[in-house]
Amino acid sequence: MAFPGPSRRGNQGERELLMLDNTTMWEAAMKKFVNDPKNFVPEMLKGIALANPGTLKYVPEYNLIMRAEGPRNDKVSIVQGSGSGHEPAHVMVVGKGMLDAACPGDVFSAPPMEYVLETTKLLKSDKGVLLLVNNYTGDKMAFEMASELAEAEGITVKTLFINDDVAVQDSLYTIGRRGVAGNFFVMKAVGAAAEAGADLQECARIGEKVNSVTRTMGIALSACTPPAKGEPLFQLGDDEIEIGIGIHGEPGRRREKIRDANAIVDTLLDAVVPDLPYSSGDEVALMINGLGGTPISELYLLYGIAHEKLAAKGISVWRSYVGEYCTSLEMAGASLTLVKVDDEIKQLLTAPAEIAIRVF
Amino acid sequence: MAFPGPSRRGNQGERELLMLDNTTMWEAAMKKFVNDPKNFVPEMLKGIALANPGTLKYVPEYNLIMRAEGPRNDKVSIVQGSGSGHEPAHVMVVGKGMLDAACPGDVFSAPPMEYVLETTKLLKSDKGVLLLVNNYTGDKMAFEMASELAEAEGITVKTLFINDDVAVQDSLYTIGRRGVAGNFFVMKAVGAAAEAGADLQECARIGEKVNSVTRTMGIALSACTPPAKGEPLFQLGDDEIEIGIGIHGEPGRRREKIRDANAIVDTLLDAVVPDLPYSSGDEVALMINGLGGTPISELYLLYGIAHEKLAAKGISVWRSYVGEYCTSLEMAGASLTLVKVDDEIKQLLTAPAEIAIRVF
Amino acid sequence: MTSSFDRVESVVRTITDTCIANEKYFGDLDSVVGDGDFGFSLARGFERVDEGWDTFDRTDVGTFLSKIAIVITSRVGGTSGPIWGTAFLRAGGTVKGKVDLTGEDVVAMLRAAIEGIKARGGASLGEKTLLDALVPMTDTIEERLAAGDAAADVVKAAAVAARTAADATKELEAKRGRAAYTGERSIGSVDPGAIAVAVLAEKVAETW
Amino acid sequence: MTSSFDRVESVVRTITDTCIANEKYFGDLDSVVGDGDFGFSLARGFERVDEGWDTFDRTDVGTFLSKIAIVITSRVGGTSGPIWGTAFLRAGGTVKGKVDLTGEDVVAMLRAAIEGIKARGGASLGEKTLLDALVPMTDTIEERLAAGDAAADVVKAAAVAARTAADATKELEAKRGRAAYTGERSIGSVDPGAIAVAVLAEKVAETW
Ligand SMILES: Nc1ncnc2c1ncn2[C@@H]1O[C@H](COP(=O)(O)OP(=O)(O)O)[C@@H](O)[C@H]1O
Ligand SMILES: Nc1ncnc2c1ncn2[C@@H]1O[C@H](COP(=O)(O)OP(=O)(O)O)[C@@H](O)[C@H]1O
Ligand SMILES: [Mg+2]
Ligand SMILES: [Mg+2]
Ligand SMILES: [Mg+2]
Ligand SMILES: [Mg+2]
């Protein structure tokens, strides 16, 4: 950071000390692929754009990844914002059939209001803009303020809050359940509907519907280290796991001793299944989402166990989703999501899409 | 493990002690989603099959994942074996357009000869069986013995060794370069050719060709813990990285201090680019492969840097491959692969395929 | 007590520098039951304030503060952007057109900021947010001004009140923001926002 | 020295139990410059031998050993499956039809095993493999038999020779197998395969 020319400024000494501290911290403690930690998000976003020339565009001013072709007036624009650190959510699921744009904030921080506002303006469409937001205080505020201002500028906007996490219960006080990995299903369904020409009202209906039948619960085996922090967000004992972890490393319901995979799947299903509830005869999509540091081999192991335990309850898995969908940097852990599906949802979830994350 | 009935048997006491040790070890030290560590691979394979009903089949006797429809006499069968722990390689890339089957060994162990032999028999086709093998002593032996025996049983077999790792140089003694993440390109190209009806000779030609223009180099930021071992394979200091790491945790070329992402990309490119060499005017596929514990955000950050550095050398990236292709359990780290492409390779790499790893 | 424009500038300057300098400390506080970004968010936002420092319209205190508010609201991520931005905006709104401020002006600014924060985030006193430092601090300022204390003493008393109240958030259960998810587990750690208010008040007192 | 079928069975039994019991130790040795699976591979294979123990055809020593060889070759993963399987197969091949073995038979078996390992893996002496324990051990057995020592003494001497040679692999640079990738960095650690041979020889001597 360069300090601009002559200006009235206070305790410079203290700030220089801090910068020094930051550098030392990086060198000593952080095992990450990163240059200046402050540029972690921009450099990642640049990489995404370079990896997808012709299909994705990066607008550095607003941390914005959008389809290269821009918004279309005959299609609702679907936008999701949130903190960074959850990749592939949401910047890597921009593309035909899913998002039109994603405007992330810094790691684990809701995007500043201006990013959301400018993104909404850049994605303006005659058919309207649908903003998908994970239900957190900061995100909610930024999106509400931005959509008010966007509407004042003549843009039709609807905002949809995703809140699939059963770890946090509604209460008089809190803002309510959090949005976590289940948001993938909302984005996929709404994206498919918008691509097929649905209007704003219809897109919102579909989003609400999918959100209403989606439930998630996660478990962390380790903490994670935000690049600009340089230290783990929390400490877990060698034999401890965090049940109901939030995707920003927020503590969950409780800490317990590590147990075998069967017991862990039981814990996850016991939280998720009775919540909707999912009942015998239901058809579901089953997602085992990796939190960033858990290998896909372990995720498939969990999948197999969950699939069979659901079958034993008479709940049949219609389709599997195993991999990383919504992560917490390099946190080891996993979440389990169920979506109760019907023909409409099935069709939307399997509709084609062309996004940054792909295998070949 | 149950000990079968009455039999002549030696120092039982010592063995029971060992089993006790294993349990304690698991509870104390291992942060993994696993039941009995000995069943890690079978339980994962079962999960893969449950996640892909109708398309994949699991044959527990031989650790085998194969297409549910079985071999076709009008199509060369493409089979890859190797140790487990590298997922999604290779069990998760079985499916139309890629492998017909994969027979993994235990974690980081070449499959026992019998697995390869029985797999080859089950995949028997009039057009022949092509065995893809990463070039390691154990794998080479198992595949050579098995293909000899399979041929004796009247099966037409060809074996192709993949050796893209530049970290290890050929020498008079060693078996030569190792096969690492670049094997994805060989599997994809050969799989596409076989699907299109190419004969065994032609499939082998394509595999050799892709292998001959593919080079990889990897870096580890952390070790990994095989489930049945329960302890990290090696120790890296808090500020140390291993340059040229093998995908089984074998030490690489040297240990160095952690550096920023720009410097790390330089190290990888300096090893890979001059090796083929890749020169100004070349078109390449660029893969940034995660080793299991590194989040995709960091991989895209590396991708962006590598893309630009290659462009500066006049080497243009034709297509990006960013994600996990060949891992070492939960190891943090990445490898960089270049493939020099021509029209034939491009067409094969982008041909459709339907495999277990997919996003939606 | 009257306060010149210079004084306002110097206070905002102190806030700016202190938020930048305490990036790590504020972040660490937020990782106990939050997500650790509080320090980073404030620091990146106030760096913007620092960068634009010489360019802000200084016609009057109200205009000046609203310019600062726009930078904060626009560029600070997380909950803090809307909360802190709203606070500066509402504070500025009460002193539109003024260049010199009375003690009553200062109290009005702080009360407006508090109301803005409540409106934006729905929090009340005792829910373990920055309000739990800001409100007792404002009460103290009002009392001391009424008692006719000198400005420097008022500022010192404000710092003591903010610190005492901020430290006392340790006993509270979080009902708002990310910490609220942890319910009872939030008891035992201080609220980062409240501590930030205390640190800022102390720095302002120090540099008065 | 002659050796009954019982003795052969007991030696194979000792090898089986020792490989199962040393899973962790052998694995740890292999993680120094290898990939850590050596112990796991052997243990899983010899568990199969254990499971099938009562079913192996015991018509003669050759047949018995070839049945063991098939289990090992078939079910042990990694380099060790083919290497150890070939060793048992070749050893059995030299004593087809025999039920009692002479000292010469034992030496011939070991020499055949060594040649089989060399043929299978292409390694020579001094390249830091199990050969570097197996060959000196066999040499010692041959010498002691020629000197007319009692069987129990021969076996003890064999164990000492294997141990000494295995420990000496520490000084060697690996030229074969996974450890060879590390070149000079392999110097300073013993070869897991060679140590396994020493451990087995010692257990055989202990239980003689
Ligand atoms: N609803 C709210 N109203 C007022 N202040 C709040 C509210 N929620 C959180 N805060 C304050 O914000 C601080 C956290 O800020 P920040 O880290 O930016 O939020 P987050 O990361 O949760 O979006 C808390 O310490 C608290 O003082
Ligand atoms: N080419 C070879 N010939 C003979 N023995 C070998 C050869 N390569 C390795 N070994 C032996 O095998 C041991 C390692 O076995 P194992 O762990 O099963 O191999 P890997 O994991 O490398 O496939 C080494 O310690 C060495 O004694
Ligand atoms: Mg935050
Ligand atoms: Mg191995
Ligand atoms: Mg926070
Ligand atoms: Mg090994």
Side-chain angles (χ1 to χ4, degrees):
Chain A
M1 195 184 81
F3 294 105
S7 71
R8 297 169 247 183
R9 168 175 307 134
N11 45 349
Q12 179 80 41
E14 199 166 345
R15 282 154 64 203
E16 275 175 0
L17 194 74
L18 176 82
M19 290 166 59
L20 241 160
D21 270 344
N22 272 347
T23 318
T24 321
M25 190 172 73
W26 187 86
E27 283 179 9
M30 199 158 49
K31 287 283 198 81
K32 279 183 185 297
F33 295 119
V34 64
N35 291 312
D36 179 349
K38 286 185 197 166
N39 293 331
F40 179 72
V41 174
E43 290 192 47
M44 163 188 65
L45 298 178
K46 190 174 160 194
I48 295 172
L50 284 170
N52 296 276
T55 55
L56 295 184
K57 195 165 88 181
Y58 168 43
V59 185
E61 291 81 358
Y62 313 115
N63 267 11
L64 169 59
I65 292 284
M66 61 185 284
R67 300 195 201 175
E69 82 233 21
R72 274 164 36 197
N73 276 323
D74 62 344
K75 180 189 165 300
V76 174
S77 290
I78 311 291
V79 174
Q80 171 118 21
S82 87
S84 286
H86 308 305
E87 293 70 25
H90 308 89
V91 285
M92 295 168 195
V93 296
V94 175
K96 205 160 181 243
M98 283 195 75
L99 300 182
D100 290 272
C103 63
D106 281 306
V107 171
F108 295 168
S109 287
M113 192 275 289
E114 189 185 29
Y115 293 7
V116 184
L117 176 59
E118 296 300 327
T119 298
T120 309
K121 287 197 218 162
L122 282 169
L123 272 294
K124 179 179 175 163
S125 152
D126 288 353
K127 288 192 87 167
V129 179
L130 180 61
L131 301 174
L132 303 178
V133 192
N134 296 330
N135 191 43
Y136 295 95
T137 306
D139 300 77
K140 205 164 186 254
M141 288 178 183
F143 276 83
E144 279 171 354
M145 290 167 79
S147 53
E148 247 181 72
L149 292 172
E151 273 168 354
E153 298 199 26
I155 304 175
T156 313
V157 185
K158 251 191 175 316
T159 310
L160 198 153
F161 296 99
I162 301 166
N163 60 350
D164 55 312
D165 187 1
V166 304
V168 168
Q169 300 303 323
D170 280 309
S171 86
L172 254 182
Y173 294 103
T174 66
I175 181 183
R177 294 165 181 275
R178 307 176 289 208
V180 290
N183 67 9
F184 179 83
F185 296 102
V186 177
M187 291 187 283
K188 179 69 186 71
V190 168
E195 211 68 53
D199 64 18
L200 186 56
Q201 203 64 36
E202 174 70 355
C203 287
R205 179 190 68 78
I206 286 166
E208 296 286 8
K209 174 178 165 180
V210 174
N211 183 55
S212 75
V213 293
T214 302
R215 295 290 187 276
T216 301
M217 174 84 170
I219 280 187
L221 304 186
S222 80
C224 60
T225 298
K229 197 164 149 50
E231 284 165 17
L233 261 185
F234 56 96
Q235 298 291 341
L236 268 179
D238 267 0
D239 57 351
E240 278 180 337
I241 60 177
E242 182 80 35
I243 315 271
I245 187 78
I247 56 168
H248 309 88
E250 307 100 320
R253 288 190 180 180
R254 59 185 183 278
R255 277 191 188 184
E256 294 192 354
K257 296 283 163 201
I258 175 84
R259 284 162 298 154
D260 71 12
N262 285 327
I264 280 174
V265 171
D266 281 335
T267 302
L268 295 173
L269 287 177
D270 288 349
V272 169
V273 172
D275 193 280
L276 187 63
Y278 301 88
S279 323
S280 183
D282 284 352
E283 259 192 307
V284 297
L286 167 58
M287 174 186 278
I288 303 290
N289 169 59
L291 294 184
T294 287
I296 195 165
S297 46
E298 293 178 38
L299 301 180
Y300 269 98
L301 187 147
L302 292 176
Y303 177 87
I305 299 168
H307 183 114
E308 292 202 316
K309 286 186 188 282
L310 286 168
K313 292 178 202 287
I315 300 167
S316 76
V317 178
W318 156 71
R319 196 169 170 81
S320 64
Y321 296 79
V322 187
E324 291 176 353
Y325 290 88
C326 190
T327 61
S328 300
L329 296 170
E330 82 288 3
M331 185 182 285
S335 65
L336 182 153
T337 301
L338 294 182
V339 188
K340 185 170 165 177
V341 296
D342 60 13
D343 287 345
E344 182 183 43
I345 294 179
K346 287 183 188 177
Q347 183 266 316
L348 292 165
L349 292 184
T350 50
E354 291 162 27
I355 51 183
I357 36 163
R358 57 174 163 78
V359 180
F360 58 90
Chain B
M1 195 185 81
F3 294 105
S7 71
R8 296 169 247 184
R9 167 173 308 130
N11 45 349
Q12 178 80 40
E14 199 166 344
R15 281 154 64 204
E16 274 174 0
L17 194 73
L18 177 81
M19 289 166 61
L20 242 160
D21 269 344
N22 272 347
T23 320
T24 322
M25 188 171 75
W26 187 87
E27 282 179 9
M30 201 159 47
K31 287 285 198 78
K32 279 182 187 297
F33 296 117
V34 65
N35 292 313
D36 180 349
K38 286 185 198 167
N39 293 333
F40 179 72
V41 173
E43 290 192 47
M44 163 188 67
L45 298 178
K46 190 174 161 194
I48 296 172
L50 284 170
N52 296 275
T55 55
L56 295 184
K57 195 166 89 182
Y58 167 43
V59 184
E61 291 80 358
Y62 313 115
N63 265 13
L64 170 59
I65 292 284
M66 62 184 285
R67 300 195 201 176
E69 83 233 21
R72 275 164 36 198
N73 276 321
D74 62 344
K75 182 189 164 300
V76 174
S77 289
I78 312 291
V79 174
Q80 171 118 22
S82 86
S84 287
H86 309 304
E87 294 69 26
H90 308 91
V91 284
M92 296 167 194
V93 296
V94 175
K96 205 160 181 244
M98 282 194 77
L99 299 183
D100 289 271
C103 63
D106 281 307
V107 171
F108 295 169
S109 286
M113 193 275 288
E114 189 183 30
Y115 293 7
V116 183
L117 175 59
E118 295 302 325
T119 298
T120 309
K121 286 196 219 161
L122 283 169
L123 272 294
K124 179 180 174 163
S125 154
D126 288 353
K127 288 192 87 167
V129 179
L130 181 60
L131 301 173
L132 303 178
V133 192
N134 296 329
N135 191 44
Y136 295 94
T137 306
D139 299 78
K140 206 165 187 259
M141 287 177 184
F143 276 83
E144 279 171 354
M145 290 166 79
S147 54
E148 246 180 75
L149 292 172
E151 273 168 355
E153 298 200 27
I155 304 173
T156 312
V157 185
K158 252 190 174 317
T159 309
L160 197 153
F161 296 98
I162 300 166
N163 60 351
D164 55 312
D165 187 1
V166 304
V168 168
Q169 299 305 323
D170 280 309
S171 85
L172 253 182
Y173 295 103
T174 66
I175 181 182
R177 294 164 181 276
R178 306 177 289 209
V180 289
N183 67 8
F184 179 83
F185 295 102
V186 176
M187 291 187 283
K188 179 69 186 71
V190 168
E195 211 67 55
D199 64 19
L200 186 57
Q201 203 65 35
E202 175 69 355
C203 287
R205 178 192 68 78
I206 285 165
E208 295 285 7
K209 175 179 165 181
V210 173
N211 183 54
S212 75
V213 294
T214 301
R215 295 289 188 278
T216 300
M217 174 86 172
I219 281 186
L221 304 186
S222 80
C224 60
T225 298
K229 197 167 149 50
E231 286 167 16
L233 261 185
F234 55 96
Q235 298 290 342
L236 266 179
D238 267 0
D239 57 351
E240 277 181 337
I241 60 177
E242 182 80 36
I243 315 270
I245 187 78
I247 56 169
H248 309 87
E250 308 99 321
R253 288 191 182 179
R254 60 184 182 277
R255 276 190 189 185
E256 294 192 355
K257 295 283 162 200
I258 174 84
R259 283 162 298 154
D260 71 12
N262 284 327
I264 280 174
V265 171
D266 281 334
T267 301
L268 295 174
L269 288 176
D270 288 350
V272 168
V273 172
D275 193 280
L276 187 65
Y278 302 88
S279 323
S280 183
D282 284 352
E283 259 191 308
V284 296
L286 167 58
M287 173 185 279
I288 303 290
N289 168 60
L291 294 184
T294 288
I296 196 166
S297 46
E298 293 179 38
L299 301 180
Y300 270 98
L301 187 146
L302 291 176
Y303 177 87
I305 298 168
H307 183 115
E308 291 203 315
K309 286 187 189 281
L310 285 168
K313 292 180 202 288
I315 300 168
S316 76
V317 177
W318 157 71
R319 197 170 170 81
S320 64
Y321 296 79
V322 188
E324 291 176 352
Y325 290 88
C326 190
T327 61
S328 300
L329 297 169
E330 82 289 3
M331 184 183 286
S335 65
L336 182 154
T337 301
L338 294 182
V339 188
K340 186 170 164 176
V341 295
D342 60 14
D343 288 344
E344 182 182 44
I345 294 179
K346 286 183 188 177
Q347 184 267 316
L348 293 165
L349 292 184
T350 51
E354 291 162 29
I355 52 183
I357 37 162
R358 57 175 163 78
V359 180
F360 58 90
Chain C
M1 164 179 137
T2 63
S3 178
S4 70
F5 196 108
D6 269 4
R7 186 62 89 184
V8 171
E9 254 194 287
S10 137
V11 167
V12 175
R13 186 69 245 177
T14 300
I15 292 174
T16 303
D17 294 339
T18 309
C19 286
I20 296 173
N22 284 281
E23 174 174 351
K24 182 161 158 42
Y25 176 54
F26 291 169
D28 288 348
L29 290 175
D30 189 35
S31 30
V32 181
V33 285
D35 58 351
D37 63 341
F38 178 59
F40 187 86
S41 294
L42 283 187
R44 293 298 84 70
F46 280 101
E47 272 172 10
R48 293 295 185 125
V49 172
D50 176 66
E51 282 166 28
W53 188 252
D54 293 336
T55 69
F56 299 126
D57 185 342
R58 285 168 166 82
T59 312
D60 58 77
V61 174
T63 308
F64 179 64
L65 291 183
S66 75
K67 296 297 171 195
I68 304 281
I70 288 169
V71 174
I72 295 172
T73 322
S74 307
R75 310 302 305 224
V76 177
T79 300
S80 296
I83 289 283
W84 289 56
T86 302
F88 273 83
L89 196 68
R90 294 290 181 91
T94 62
V95 291
K96 272 226 171 83
K98 297 196 178 171
V99 176
D100 287 316
L101 306 183
T102 65
E104 289 70 51
D105 284 333
V106 172
V107 171
M109 283 164 70
L110 287 167
R111 294 278 175 225
I114 288 165
E115 289 316 308
I117 292 170
K118 286 182 174 172
R120 176 64 61 209
S124 321
L125 213 57
E127 293 183 354
K128 199 165 192 156
T129 71
L130 77 174
L131 288 173
D132 294 316
L134 205 53
V135 171
M137 180 187 86
T138 305
D139 292 345
T140 299
I141 293 175
E142 198 166 14
E143 286 159 28
R144 291 306 183 101
L145 285 171
D149 284 12
D153 293 335
V154 174
V155 169
K156 279 202 187 79
V160 171
R163 165 61 60 187
T164 309
D167 287 345
T169 60
K170 197 167 175 177
E171 316 304 328
L172 299 174
E173 178 176 339
K175 303 281 189 190
R176 296 284 163 188
R178 219 176 283 278
Y181 301 131
T182 63
E184 292 183 358
R185 287 173 66 177
S186 65
I187 298 173
S189 56
V190 290
D191 178 63
I195 293 289
V197 169
V199 170
L200 293 177
E202 286 167 351
K203 276 280 164 196
V204 167
E206 245 176 59
T207 55
W208 195 259
Chain D
M1 163 178 137
T2 63
S3 178
S4 70
F5 197 110
D6 269 4
R7 186 62 89 183
V8 170
E9 254 193 289
S10 134
V11 167
V12 176
R13 186 70 245 176
T14 301
I15 292 175
T16 302
D17 294 338
T18 308
C19 285
I20 296 173
N22 283 281
E23 174 174 352
K24 182 161 158 40
Y25 175 54
F26 291 169
D28 288 348
L29 289 175
D30 189 36
S31 30
V32 182
V33 287
D35 58 351
D37 63 340
F38 178 59
F40 187 85
S41 294
L42 283 187
R44 292 300 83 71
F46 280 101
E47 273 171 11
R48 293 296 186 123
V49 173
D50 176 66
E51 282 167 28
W53 187 252
D54 293 337
T55 69
F56 298 125
D57 185 340
R58 286 168 164 81
T59 314
D60 57 79
V61 175
T63 309
F64 179 63
L65 290 183
S66 75
K67 297 294 172 195
I68 305 281
I70 287 168
V71 175
I72 296 171
T73 321
S74 306
R75 311 300 307 222
V76 177
T79 300
S80 296
I83 290 283
W84 289 56
T86 302
F88 273 82
L89 197 66
R90 296 290 180 91
T94 62
V95 292
K96 273 227 172 84
K98 299 195 178 173
V99 176
D100 288 316
L101 306 183
T102 64
E104 287 72 51
D105 285 331
V106 172
V107 171
M109 285 164 70
L110 288 166
R111 294 280 174 222
I114 288 164
E115 289 316 308
I117 293 171
K118 285 182 177 174
R120 178 63 63 207
S124 321
L125 212 60
E127 293 183 353
K128 198 165 190 155
T129 70
L130 77 174
L131 290 173
D132 294 317
L134 204 52
V135 172
M137 182 188 84
T138 307
D139 292 347
T140 298
I141 293 175
E142 198 168 15
E143 287 159 28
R144 291 306 185 102
L145 285 171
D149 284 12
D153 293 336
V154 174
V155 168
K156 278 201 189 82
V160 172
R163 166 60 61 189
T164 309
D167 287 346
T169 59
K170 198 168 176 178
E171 315 304 329
L172 299 175
E173 178 176 339
K175 303 282 189 190
R176 296 286 162 188
R178 221 175 282 278
Y181 301 131
T182 63
E184 292 183 359
R185 287 173 65 178
S186 64
I187 298 174
S189 56
V190 290
D191 177 65
I195 293 289
V197 169
V199 170
L200 294 177
E202 285 167 350
K203 276 278 165 201
V204 167
E206 246 175 59
T207 56
W208 195 260

